[in-house]
Amino acid sequence: MTKNEVSARVHRWLSYFYGAMLFFFVCIFMLASMDITAVWPAILGLGVFIAIHFFTSVGAQKKEFWARGVSIVLGILMLFAFPIGTILGCILLFNSNWNEG
């Protein structure tokens, strides 16, 4: 598996993970009959993370230059999310040089 494929898979699985979080987040608020309008910023934020990771995975699969830059930025930001984010951030940064194969 090439480095860009590893990056694409990590981003794709992160988009799935954020999608599952969004689904459960909305379900909890619906089942608890809480006012969901108070959490719209969190819902939109998760939606943005889903879109960023999904489109980055598509770009990484095609070895797009912009996707490499986004992947590096997201990898650096994920280093602060200890412990799982740190591991995934290191994987993204290690696999950020797609030209070496």
Side-chain angles (χ1 to χ4, degrees), residues 68-78 93:
R68 182 175 176 261
V70 173
S71 184
I72 290 170
V73 169
L74 290 173
I76 291 170
L77 292 175
M78 289 179 67
L93 291 174

Side-chain angles (χ1 to χ4, degrees), residues 38-39 49 68-69 94-95 100:
V39 294
F49 278 120
R68 182 175 176 261
F94 178 75
N95 290 298
E100 290 181 359

Side-chain angles (χ1 to χ4, degrees), residues 2 4 7 9 11 14 22 24 30 32 37 39 47 54 56-57 59 62 68 70 73 81 84-85 87-88 100:
T2 61
N4 68 306
S7 294
R9 282 191 180 186
H11 286 296
L14 283 169
L22 179 62
F24 289 121
M30 294 289 217
T37 58
V39 294
F54 181 78
T56 304
S57 74
K62 297 177 183 179
R68 182 175 176 261
V70 173
V73 169
I84 305 297
I87 295 168
L88 293 174
E100 290 181 359

